[in-house]
Amino acid sequence: MVSGRGGVGESPAGPDADPDAEQDGAGEPTGAEHGRDGAGTGTAGAEHGQDGAGAEAAAQVSEAQAELAAQKVERERIARRKAEREGPVDAGAKLSGRAADLLAAVRAVESGAKPPAPLYFDEAPAAPRKAAPAPPQPRPAAAPPTPAPAVADIGAVRAVLARGGAPEALAGQTAAVLGEGAAEQLTEDPWRLLAVSGVRPTQADGFAQALLGPAAGPADERRGAALLGWLLDQAAAKGHTALEAPVLEKALAQYGVPAPAETLEAAIGDGAVLVFHEPLGPPAAEDEEPPVRLLVGLEAHALAEEALADGLARLAGTFAGPADWSAAADGPAAELVRAVAGHGLVTHTGGEAARAEPAALLAAARRLGLRAVLAAHAPAPDAVTVAGLLAGTEGPGRDSDGRFDLDLLIVLDAPQLDVEQAAALVESVPDGARLVLSGDPGVLGSAGPGRVFADVLAARAFPQVVSRTPDPGPIGELVSGIGVGELNRVDAPGKEVVIVPVRDAGEAVHRTVQLVAESVPRAFGIPAEEVQVIVPGHGGPAGTRALNAALKERLNPGPGRFAGFDPGDRVVHVPSPGRALPARVVSADAQGLHLDAGGARVVVPQDRVEAQVRHGWAVTAHQAVGRRWPAVVAVLPGDAAQALSRDWVYTAFGRAERHLSVVHGVEEALPRAVAQGLPKPRTTRLTGLLRALAAAQEEQP
């Protein structure tokens, strides 16, 4: 691989220079390297917020609303099941019981003293159930969405925002987030504005000072509590399900909270956050306690992570026993077929070529008369989407217990599962059924919190099948090397891999348009609509925004009659965070923007177009994961050097089937990222929970 010239006169864009240049969220407020791929959701801070409530428009139940509502119902059911298994954490201004024990543990660890007896929220888990649990309540395939705030409520919130100098356009979103009595909540606690996506602490502080005057100081307890929740939300956007207590205290101090330890203790006492005890290894001596770390997390993520661990153990524990599938165990998928025949839960890893093995397993299971379903992150042959499966719009129905009518569920793209989505999925798999989690560990992780697939693999509590099927051709050889940290020169006699050196962002945009519109179609016979541009971020002079503007001007010029879009525009529809669906604009009318998404007609209401639709000639690697195109142009402008990592390069380059062009302007940053740019760590609890469950099962007589 030849390193090209690039980056002359350019400096890497830090988070203060251009947050969008280093993130793949649609301007999420965190600047997270794994932020949610949205189409403008949360793009603006308080000064650029939008009224997304749509109170003045007719309510319309969309696929996204149905999916989110269905998942909300599922999470509520998970919470009820958890509440039945364990009592709630004690709360109140005057601490006692478990909350007092937790706070004592926090203080003990901070002081270096030995922690007290382990009376923690995550006590040793019970052994996995062998018998079927009590039937859960049936869940509707698509629950009705949460009703939009009333016009009067939005008006009251708008008045409060105006008094505090905040943009009135935030009224709808604020009313939706805070719920009933939103105006009263803001009046009593102005820092509640931090719960609105895109609002920063400095903006919330200014709002509070305008409403409260001199009483709005940095030591206000309301401010500390809101900042703590905001910090955990930002951590979740970066993939964490919890943070270590000292990390949170340090972050609170950086935002001017004078007593961060007391703020954290108060939040624990109020039940706003939960504390978990996680052993770090065996004790140094028999009479000593094992070393621990104390993690703090939000209840929703904690319940989902524990429900997921419990559900995975349930599937392994309720498996009826091995079956004789020897007649179907042949070809490259033979090892996978044998493993699934003998176990209730199996993991499967491999590259793009290895996706044929789960497909072969699906065919074998159906030949054996099993009700087998293949689910994927993005549309795939003979597969339903995970989102559609959970929403009830695709796949099998549900039985009287609310669980899927199936015997085998195979999930492709497992690294894309966040912890809440995975928990809802696993909870819906019936006892005795088989579950296969399949994916490529080298690709970018989920848009939401958690590292489910990586944690399950790390726990080593279930059988693992590693594919031996190599990815073919020069692109496969290149990507395989990247996966192990090597950027190798590959022999590409058919110009399967081409390096295009550029000096600056302007040249990068020019060469990219030339490649998509002329060079690739002429040299390889691949039409421009089948060439996908992949970029590290949305912002900057060569980000998706700039490239999409240039590509639209060349490939489908027009005035942008409807919110910047014209018929024929190639777009990405993001109905919910983490879901990026390629589509093409068909038309627009009073109902909204009409899209063709792979043959399916989708109407995006007018008030959601700006938040949910982007031009799609150029996308981020996070938006591209789970899909492949005949040709890919990976654009690496000089200002993207700091945003590169091994998993980003692996994902972007691996989206190409026949041809890969690399518009190269980062000089030595590319091989350095491949060799040293490991994925950013995520703090999660799933691996520890699974190991504890496995140990408890082994101890059973």
Side-chain angles (χ1 to χ4, degrees):
M1 190 96 179
V2 180
S3 298
R5 307 184 309 276
V8 178
E10 297 199 20
S11 59
D16 294 330
D18 185 1
D20 272 340
E22 294 189 27
Q23 69 180 45
D24 280 337
E28 287 285 344
T30 64
E33 70 284 350
H34 292 302
R36 298 178 179 88
D37 277 328
T41 48
T43 303
E47 67 276 15
H48 297 300
Q50 292 188 1
D51 185 347
E56 291 82 2
Q60 179 171 338
V61 179
S62 66
E63 175 193 359
Q65 287 176 311
E67 175 199 337
L68 295 175
Q71 292 189 29
K72 180 180 179 181
V73 172
E74 187 64 43
R75 290 195 296 271
E76 290 173 351
R77 184 161 67 86
I78 291 171
R80 288 196 299 271
R81 288 166 56 85
K82 294 297 298 179
E84 293 170 358
R85 190 163 66 91
E86 295 190 62
V89 176
D90 292 325
K94 191 171 182 178
L95 303 184
S96 63
R98 178 172 290 180
D101 294 327
L102 293 172
L103 295 182
V106 173
R107 296 190 183 100
V109 171
E110 289 173 348
S111 65
K114 185 167 141 181
L119 298 173
Y120 301 97
F121 182 85
D122 55 342
E123 296 172 3
R129 297 186 295 272
K130 295 293 183 184
Q137 294 297 318
R139 180 174 73 88
T146 303
V151 175
D153 293 336
I154 295 176
V157 171
R158 184 178 288 114
V160 177
L161 293 174
R163 290 205 313 271
E168 296 181 30
L170 283 176
Q173 189 180 1
T174 304
V177 170
L178 298 184
E180 186 178 354
E184 291 76 11
Q185 293 181 53
L186 277 181
T187 302
E188 295 174 3
D189 182 357
W191 286 283
R192 292 295 307 277
L193 192 65
L194 274 175
V196 178
S197 177
V199 177
R200 308 287 297 182
T202 53
Q203 296 163 335
D205 284 340
F207 178 67
Q209 289 168 1
L211 287 183
L212 303 179
D220 194 298
E221 293 181 359
R222 296 168 293 182
R223 178 177 185 267
L227 277 172
L228 180 60
W230 181 82
L231 287 168
L232 287 171
D233 281 337
Q234 305 311 294
K238 294 182 180 181
H240 305 281
T241 59
L243 288 179
E244 295 189 42
V247 172
L248 271 174
E249 291 181 7
K250 181 179 179 181
L252 287 169
Q254 289 174 341
Y255 279 100
V257 176
E262 286 77 2
T263 297
L264 182 56
E265 291 175 4
I268 295 169
D270 291 339
V273 297
L274 301 177
V275 181
F276 310 98
H277 162 256
E278 184 174 90
L280 295 177
E286 291 185 2
D287 58 341
E288 293 184 1
E289 294 285 343
V292 300
R293 67 172 179 171
L294 293 171
L295 301 177
V296 179
L298 297 173
E299 182 180 21
H301 302 149
L303 288 175
E305 210 156 22
E306 295 200 358
L308 175 57
D310 185 63
L312 292 171
R314 170 180 62 83
L315 293 178
T318 58
F319 180 62
D324 183 8
W325 289 8
S326 55
D330 58 359
E335 184 181 0
L336 178 60
V337 171
R338 286 193 295 268
V340 175
H343 301 87
L345 177 59
V346 174
T347 60
H348 171 258
T349 60
E352 287 297 324
R355 294 170 73 93
E357 295 172 19
L361 169 64
L362 177 73
R366 288 177 174 173
R367 287 197 303 270
L368 292 167
L370 296 179
R371 299 170 299 169
V373 174
L374 182 68
H377 177 68
D382 205 21
V384 301
T385 64
V386 171
L389 182 62
L390 286 173
T393 58
E394 301 177 61
R398 293 178 181 260
D399 61 21
S400 59
D401 294 335
R403 292 195 166 125
F404 298 136
D405 282 322
L406 51 73
D407 303 304
L408 168 64
L409 176 61
I410 308 166
V411 181
L412 297 176
D413 308 315
Q416 304 311 304
L417 293 173
D418 64 46
V419 66
E420 293 184 271
Q421 190 180 45
L425 192 69
V426 171
E427 277 286 308
S428 297
V429 178
D431 290 342
R434 293 172 169 89
L435 173 65
V436 177
L437 298 177
S438 176
D440 187 343
V443 300
L444 290 163
S446 64
R451 51 192 299 270
V452 172
F453 192 53
D455 282 347
V456 172
L457 293 174
R460 297 188 176 277
F462 312 105
Q464 300 182 10
V465 176
V466 180
S467 173
R468 296 176 177 82
T469 305
D471 289 331
I475 297 176
E477 180 184 350
L478 173 64
V479 173
S480 296
I482 292 170
V484 295
E486 299 174 359
L487 190 63
N488 300 318
R489 184 189 298 271
V490 297
D491 184 18
K495 294 187 177 180
E496 293 87 350
V497 180
V498 174
I499 308 302
V500 183
V502 293
R503 293 182 297 271
D504 53 37
E507 186 180 2
V509 172
H510 172 75
R511 295 303 300 273
T512 299
V513 173
Q514 186 181 55
L515 284 164
V516 174
E518 301 175 10
S519 303
V520 173
R522 182 176 62 247
F524 303 99
I526 300 172
E529 56 265 24
E530 295 182 7
V531 181
Q532 184 62 60
V533 178
I534 300 179
V535 197
H538 294 300
T544 64
R545 297 190 186 98
L547 282 165
N548 275 317
L551 287 164
K552 174 175 171 54
E553 183 178 356
R554 178 64 183 274
L555 299 174
N556 193 47
R561 292 185 293 271
F562 192 91
F565 300 101
D566 294 297
D569 276 358
R570 189 169 163 182
V571 298
V572 173
H573 176 219
V574 184
S576 59
R579 293 187 63 204
L581 309 177
R584 191 169 295 276
V585 176
V586 176
S587 62
D589 55 26
Q591 287 185 304
L593 194 66
H594 293 249
L595 307 178
D596 181 346
R601 286 301 180 96
V602 177
V603 180
V604 182
Q606 293 186 33
D607 61 321
R608 298 186 192 133
V609 170
E610 186 171 352
Q612 294 187 358
V613 183
R614 284 188 186 275
H615 283 107
W617 289 283
V619 300
T620 65
H622 293 82
Q623 291 175 326
V625 70
R627 294 179 178 82
R628 300 191 83 197
W629 290 267
V632 163
V633 178
V635 183
L636 310 177
D639 62 358
Q642 291 184 341
L644 296 180
S645 60
R646 182 187 301 172
D647 54 347
W648 190 94
V649 179
Y650 183 92
T651 301
F653 288 14
R655 300 311 93 204
E657 293 177 336
R658 293 170 49 195
H659 172 75
L660 169 67
S661 283
V662 181
V663 178
H664 192 343
V666 291
E667 298 183 339
E668 295 305 311
L670 178 58
R672 184 167 57 250
V674 171
Q676 305 172 11
L678 299 179
K680 297 292 174 61
R682 298 185 178 194
T683 304
T684 61
R685 300 172 51 238
L686 183 58
T687 295
L689 291 169
L690 290 173
R691 287 174 176 169
L693 285 165
Q697 185 179 30
E698 291 176 359
E699 292 176 359
Q700 276 198 327

